[in-house]
Every structure is written in structure tokens, then in C-alpha cells.
Amino acid sequence: MYCQECHERPATLHFTKILNGKKMEFHICEHCAKEKGEFIPGSNTFSIHQLLSGLLHGDPYFSDNTSSEFIQPSLKCERCGMTYYQFAKVGRFGCSNCYDVFDPKLDPILKRVHGGNTRHAGKIPLRIGNHLQEKRRLETLKQEMQQYVMQEEFEKAAEIRDQIRNIEKRIQKGKGE
Amino acid sequence: MSLERFISEAICPWMKKEGPDSDIVLSSRIRLARNLKDYIFPTLASKNEAESVIQTIEKGIKDQTYSTIGNFELLYMDALKPNEKRVFVEKHLISPHLAEQSRYGAVLLNNDESVSIMINEEDHIRIQCLFPGFQLREALTLANGIDDWIEQRVDYAFDEHRGYLTSCPTNVGTGLRASVMMHLPALVLTKQMSRIIPAINQLGLVVRGIYGEGTEAQGNIFQISNQMTLGKSEEDIIEDLHSVVMQLIQQERVARKTLYDSLKVQLEDRIFRSYGVLANSRIISSKEAAKCLSDVRLGIDLGLIKGLSQSILNELMILTQPGFLQQYSGESLDPDERDIKRAALIRERLKLENNA
């Protein structure tokens, strides 16, 4: 059977679309499916998600035995019902709580996707993240202080130490109120 | 409807403005992915949950204006005809995913269509800002402002260590995708692009065709965007992309000059042949149209073709997509009919230009 779009190449994608109860059959080649940009399931959905799901399956838990779902029943998000097995299959989280539940397994995945990074270094939301911004500031100051100590520039290190104390005091005070 | 009016309604107002380096950079785009803390992500959400996500966001934003960008209009995907959705996708205002797969998907659009906020796409909220030319920093500033504005009204899913939590692990952290649409005909003609793409990939950036993942680079238009969203700040991500784009602009300019200096007649021949095809053909595929439009645009940029406006490439690349052609003719068209209609539309458009 030839592709119904180009009539040149053999049709390799066959599918049925049911839209508002109307049944439509399509037979097209992969080339046309991609090129025409028709929103055909399977034609351009070989995407990052599938690649990703491949990566997730690279988890030794899964490559060693296929019935891991039964061996590791504990990793299931109570809120949305997503299991780690499902997550590995679809490559998407079900809700924000999944991040907590699957946390022990996330680092290797995130490292692979984000060039070795596992921690956020960007924007912090203004309203809900106010205290986080102070915390982030403390972390960078502590790192700076360490550097100065290593370089034996103790005066500068002491200056930063005072800044750190001030922020810590402010946080303590905030908690006390 | 006259072609003139159709075009003026079809082309997003932001596209008509000229941006910096717009001889090479067609547009700059920033996308931020955000989710609401208390709701299951759209891919798993029930109809009720998806509906209440829209209501929550609508309640927060309704009747509010955000500084300079004007009012937002809320459009439900279910209320749009399939071809209308397709046209929105071709204008890059919504994603194919929102148009086809979302349940209770909606989009908030501002007046000049430079800002679109998709609701219930893969994530609850996707803020997108589009700027003409090379204006990544400006687009990020605007997107950040809108993000803060929304955050005052709804509770985001945010984690201290992982950042903004997204449905797909490839977006977690900043949730930021920055991309730049570039017209690089000289780098393609001088066969440098195949060497450049792998180099760009090594820097953690992705090169794609005009309609995103897996699409061919039609009309020598490439989309360059960041891959990583975690571990770097928004500003660093933008700066990395910015510097690569700057280098590409320079290399493209050098290649254009080399071509112009050493092969002017051949280049002119190619450009005017393409012009001839566009001005005279009766049947034209989208691929051929894209190729010819790219040549003609290069001719305009090099001053070889005079009296044609620069925006013709951006405009006709979008207007000759299937959705737009069907919208223009007011009926659905099969691929053969589209090729005929496309040729007619391009001829008419060029005539408009000559009369002006």
C-alpha cells in the first residue's frame, strides 16, 4: 500500500482516528507524517519522552528484573497514584508530590538529563520563597568565606562571617515572632 | 476577505515590529513552565481537576491588567474549530500538544499576541513571550514579570532543591526554554551548518527546524534553544544561548559576504530564479515555497532585490502553512489543492508588494 499523501513511498503508519464518533483511517509514510506536521499520534511523538523513558529504564532495578513493580511496591505516590514503574514508562511525573516520593531515585536521572546537575540554581518565587532567598544568600556567603579562609585572607573572611551572623540573627528573630 | 486584510489579521502584531539583528534573527522566545501546588499535573488530572485549574487561574488573573501588555483574552480549546487551533499552532501561539491532546486546555492571549499563557498543557501553566529579532533578555524580563504577577495570585509547586516542579523531568528547575529562530541561508549554502550543529549540541543547546522537535529546517530556518533547565540560573542559560547566537550571526554575515564577493552572479541567478518561481508558479509545495522564500529573503537582505519588504519571509512562511491556507479559502483542502492555493496566495502577495 502506498502512502496516501505522497503516493510514492510505502505507507508505514496505519492508524484509525475517531473524532466525534466519526471514524477515519490513515495510511501514510513516516516521511509525510513528519513533514506535513499533521498531528498524528506516533508520527512525531518519538520525542524526548520516549528517549527519556529509555533512560529511566536504564535503572538497574529494571534491567535486572522485569517484575520490579512487585519487588519495589513502596515507591508509589499516594496523592496521584503514580508508581515509579509507571513514571519510568511515561517519563512524566503525576504531581508535585511524586518528586518527594521518587526522590531517592531522581539524582541519576536528573544528572543524565541536565548535564550532571541535580539542584536548582535559578529563580526563587517571590511570595512563597522569601525565606529561601535568604537561605540561598547564606549558602553563597558561607562558600565565599571558605574561599577566603583557604586563601588565608582572614580579614575578608571575618567580614563575611559578620554578614552571615546578621542574616542568621534576622532569620531567628523572624521565627521568634 | 481581501488578502491585505487577511494578512493583517493573520500576522501577529508583534511580528510587524522590527527587532535587532532582524536580518538574521527572526524571533526570540522565552517559555516558563509552572505548576500549581495543590493540583495533580494535567497529564493525570481528572476532568474536574483540570476544570478547577482553569477556574483558579482565571479567578486570579481575570479583569487584571499586567503593566504594558494589556488585557488577556481566555480561549478554551474545546470552543475552537480544529482549523482555528491549527492556525494558532502555525502562529506558534499554542503547542500541538495543547491543540490536540490537552483536556480542558485553554490559552490566555494578550492584544498583540506577544504573550500567550497556556493552561493545562503538559504543565498547568506555560508562559510564553515572543519578541521580533534578537531580544532574548527583553523576553526573559517580560516573562519573569508575568511569572511574578501570576505567582502573587496562585500557589506554585516549588521545591528548594529541585526548583519549579514540572511534569517532565527535562523541564524541572527553571522551567525555562529559551529559543531563537534564525535564518541561516549562507551557512547552509556554504555547507557549514552540518559542521556547526554538532558543535552547538555539545554546548548543551539544541538545533531544530521551524516547527520544533523532529521537523526539518524548512527555508533554512533553524530554532536554537537550551536543553538543560536545572543547575544554572535563568540569566546564565540566556547568556550561553546569547553568545552562541551572536557567533552564528557573525559567521552567517561572513558567509553572506563571501558568497556575495566571490559568486555574485551565481547568487543573483539563484535568487531571481526563486523570485520567478514564487511570482509565476501555479502549483507549489510548502517545501519549495520555503526554499524560494529563503532565497528571496537573502536577496532582499543583500540588496539584490529592491522594493520588497523584509518581513515577507516570516509572513509567507506562516501564511503558506496548511491551516492558514484553509482559513483563507474558508474550506478544507487536500494536499494538491493546498499546493495550488499556496501558489495563488504567494503570487497575490507579491503583487501587493509591487503596487505599494
Side-chain angles (χ1 to χ4, degrees), chain B residues 282-341:
Chain B
R282 297 300 191 264
I283 300 172
I284 194 164
S285 69
S286 63
K287 201 173 176 176
E288 190 183 5
K291 181 208 154 274
C292 294
L293 284 168
S294 168
D295 285 343
V296 167
R297 170 69 197 258
L298 179 63
I300 297 168
D301 290 338
L302 290 174
L304 292 170
I305 295 180
K306 297 203 167 66
L308 272 184
S309 60
Q310 249 194 352
S311 65
I312 202 155
L313 171 76
N314 320 21
E315 218 181 276
L316 283 175
M317 277 300 283
I318 289 178
L319 287 175
T320 54
Q321 296 295 322
F324 267 107
L325 290 173
Q326 300 188 78
Q327 172 114 328
Y328 181 50
S329 41
E331 57 185 343
S332 73
L333 304 166
D334 66 33
D336 294 338
E337 291 169 331
R338 271 185 234 153
D339 290 351
I340 294 171
K341 199 78 201 173

Side-chain angles (χ1 to χ4, degrees), chain A residues 93-94 99 114 119-120 123 127, chain B residues 41 147 155 161 166-167 169:
Chain A
F93 295 101
Y99 277 90
H114 296 287
R119 289 179 73 125
H120 181 54
K123 189 173 175 179
R127 189 168 53 86
Chain B
F41 294 160
D147 181 38
D155 289 331
H161 303 308
T166 54
S167 164

Side-chain angles (χ1 to χ4, degrees), chain B residues 18-48:
Chain B
E18 203 149 296
D21 296 304
S22 58
D23 56 329
I24 293 169
V25 180
L26 305 179
S27 63
S28 306
R29 186 177 73 112
I30 294 287
R31 183 269 277 155
L32 296 174
R34 300 289 185 252
N35 283 287
L36 304 184
K37 194 175 80 185
D38 301 322
Y39 293 92
I40 288 173
F41 294 160
T43 41
L44 277 193
S46 68
K47 281 204 156 186
N48 284 340

Side-chain angles (χ1 to χ4, degrees), chain A residues 70 90 93 95 103 105-106 115 128 138 140 144 155-156:
Chain A
F70 303 103
V90 297
F93 295 101
C95 68
D103 190 68
K105 290 177 158 233
L106 285 187
I128 59 170
L138 270 182
T140 38
E144 263 178 58
E155 270 177 33
K156 282 183 180 161

Side-chain angles (χ1 to χ4, degrees), chain B residues 10-76:
Chain B
I11 295 300
C12 312
W14 69 266
M15 280 182 67
K16 292 174 193 150
K17 296 175 199 149
E18 203 149 296
D21 296 304
S22 58
D23 56 329
I24 293 169
V25 180
L26 305 179
S27 63
S28 306
R29 186 177 73 112
I30 294 287
R31 183 269 277 155
L32 296 174
R34 300 289 185 252
N35 283 287
L36 304 184
K37 194 175 80 185
D38 301 322
Y39 293 92
I40 288 173
F41 294 160
T43 41
L44 277 193
S46 68
K47 281 204 156 186
N48 284 340
E49 284 168 315
E51 219 180 344
S52 58
V53 167
I54 297 192
Q55 282 165 1
T56 309
I57 296 168
E58 199 186 356
K59 208 169 71 198
I61 300 180
K62 208 182 170 186
D63 302 324
Q64 311 257 2
T65 41
Y66 174 77
S67 66
T68 50
I69 55 170
N71 284 314
F72 283 104
E73 188 187 354
L74 182 71
L75 299 167
Y76 290 92

Side-chain angles (χ1 to χ4, degrees), chain A residues 5 17 19 31 34-39 44-49 52 56 79-82 86-87 91-97 99-100 103 106-107 109-110 113-129 132 135-136 139, chain B residues 34 37-41 43-44 86 89 96-97 100-101 122 144 147-148 151-174 213-216 218 227-234 287 322 335 338:
Chain A
E5 285 282 319
K17 211 176 186 174
L19 202 72
H31 188 83
K34 276 188 186 147
E35 195 168 68
K36 293 280 174 190
E38 308 269 356
F39 310 127
N44 56 4
T45 46
F46 184 81
S47 60
I48 191 81
H49 297 295
L52 187 68
L56 303 182
R79 198 165 136 215
C80 67
M82 176 79 87
Q86 265 179 300
F87 165 66
R92 291 186 218 183
F93 295 101
C95 68
S96 51
N97 189 49
Y99 277 90
D100 287 333
D103 190 68
L106 285 187
D107 276 6
I109 296 163
L110 294 176
V113 182
H114 296 287
N117 296 315
T118 57
R119 289 179 73 125
H120 181 54
K123 189 173 175 179
I124 291 171
L126 288 175
R127 189 168 53 86
I128 59 170
L132 290 180
K135 229 171 134 180
R136 173 84 60 87
E139 273 171 33
Chain B
R34 300 289 185 252
K37 194 175 80 185
D38 301 322
Y39 293 92
I40 288 173
F41 294 160
T43 41
L44 277 193
R86 196 166 180 165
V89 173
H97 181 97
E100 296 298 305
Q101 289 170 33
E122 193 183 284
N144 267 334
D147 181 38
D148 295 341
E151 200 248 334
Q152 297 304 316
R153 294 162 172 86
V154 299
D155 289 331
Y156 278 162
F158 181 84
D159 177 82
E160 190 184 343
H161 303 308
R162 307 292 191 201
Y164 292 94
L165 304 179
T166 54
S167 164
C168 182
T170 54
N171 293 320
V172 72
T174 55
E213 241 168 74
T215 57
E216 219 179 313
Q218 279 196 6
Q227 173 86 292
M228 284 188 269
T229 56
L230 188 66
K232 281 204 268 182
S233 72
E234 286 80 357
K287 201 173 176 176
R338 271 185 234 153

Side-chain angles (χ1 to χ4, degrees), chain B residues 231-298:
Chain B
K232 281 204 268 182
S233 72
E234 286 80 357
E235 289 72 22
D236 287 349
I237 292 172
I238 298 287
E239 279 318 303
D240 289 354
L241 180 61
H242 197 273
S243 69
V244 167
V245 170
M246 283 299 284
Q247 289 177 51
L248 279 172
I249 292 175
Q250 275 162 14
Q251 293 195 34
E252 169 70 18
R253 291 221 168 102
V254 170
R256 284 185 187 187
K257 194 173 180 312
T258 314
L259 281 175
Y260 187 85
D261 290 345
S262 57
L263 295 161
K264 189 178 174 200
V265 181
Q266 287 85 341
L267 196 63
E268 245 179 326
D269 177 68
R270 183 188 167 105
I271 287 165
F272 279 95
R273 273 171 190 273
S274 287
Y275 182 76
V277 169
L278 291 177
N280 296 298
S281 68
R282 297 300 191 264
I283 300 172
I284 194 164
S285 69
S286 63
K287 201 173 176 176
E288 190 183 5
K291 181 208 154 274
C292 294
L293 284 168
S294 168
D295 285 343
V296 167
R297 170 69 197 258
L298 179 63

